[in-house]
Amino acid sequence: MSASRKVICIVCPNSCIGEVSIEAKQKPKVHGYICARGKSYAVAEATNPLRMLTTTVRVRGGVLPLLPVVSSAALPKDCIAVGVQMLSEIVVDAPIKAGQVVYAKLLGLSVDIVASRDIAMQTL
Ligand code: SF4
C-alpha cells in the first residue's frame, strides 16, 4: 500500500510545499523541499506528527484563577486532545513558579506539563 501527502514546511518563512510518499516497508520519499531540515520535518509530519501542548489549568488560592501551561516537549498530535481533557480536570495550588512541573509524565509519555508564569497566593 502506498500513500502520498502534501506537507507545507513550517521550519522557516520560505514555506516550501512538497510531498511525502510512503510505501510499505520503504523509506519515505520526499519531493519539493530545498533543505535537509525541511525533508526531516516533512517525513516526521507525515509519519509521526508532533505538537507542543498549551492550555490552562485551574488554580486554587491564587491571584488568578487560571494558569497557562506548556508541555516540556512536543508530543504525538493524536495525544493532544486527551491531554487537554486530562489537564482540564486538575487544580494546582498557589503559589506557583514559572517552570514548575504541574503534571509529570502526561499520558505516560516522557513529557511534563510546566507552568508558563508565576502565580502568587491570594491574600485577604
Ligand atoms: S524546506 Fe528548508 S527552506 Fe523550505 S521552508 Fe523548510 S526549512 Fe525552509
Side-chain angles (χ1 to χ4, degrees):
M1 188 176 138
S2 70
S4 66
R5 192 175 147 203
K6 188 161 96 174
V7 175
I8 300 172
C9 180
I10 59 169
V11 174
C12 87
N14 277 351
S15 300
C16 295
I17 300 172
E19 194 169 283
V20 181
S21 302
I22 301 169
E23 293 184 32
K25 298 179 183 174
Q26 303 260 327
K27 202 171 158 189
K29 294 183 180 130
V30 292
H31 310 277
Y33 306 99
I34 62 174
C35 74
R37 289 171 63 206
K39 289 174 186 171
S40 296
Y41 170 81
V43 170
E45 186 64 13
T47 58
N48 181 29
L50 302 173
R51 296 288 185 276
M52 295 297 286
L53 184 159
T54 58
T55 187
T56 55
V57 297
R58 285 179 288 158
V59 175
R60 181 170 33 231
V63 293
L64 295 172
L66 293 173
L67 170 70
V69 295
V70 64
S71 57
S72 59
L75 58 158
K77 189 177 172 185
D78 292 347
C79 296
I80 296 291
V82 67
V84 168
Q85 176 62 40
M86 284 181 70
L87 293 169
S88 74
E89 296 168 9
I90 72 165
V91 179
V92 182
D93 290 315
I96 300 154
K97 287 283 180 199
Q100 177 182 329
V101 173
V102 299
Y103 198 102
K105 299 199 180 307
L106 184 71
L107 303 170
L109 302 167
S110 299
V111 175
D112 297 331
I113 301 301
V114 299
S116 297
R117 60 163 294 164
D118 294 352
I119 293 188
M121 280 177 83
Q122 188 171 41
T123 54
L124 296 177

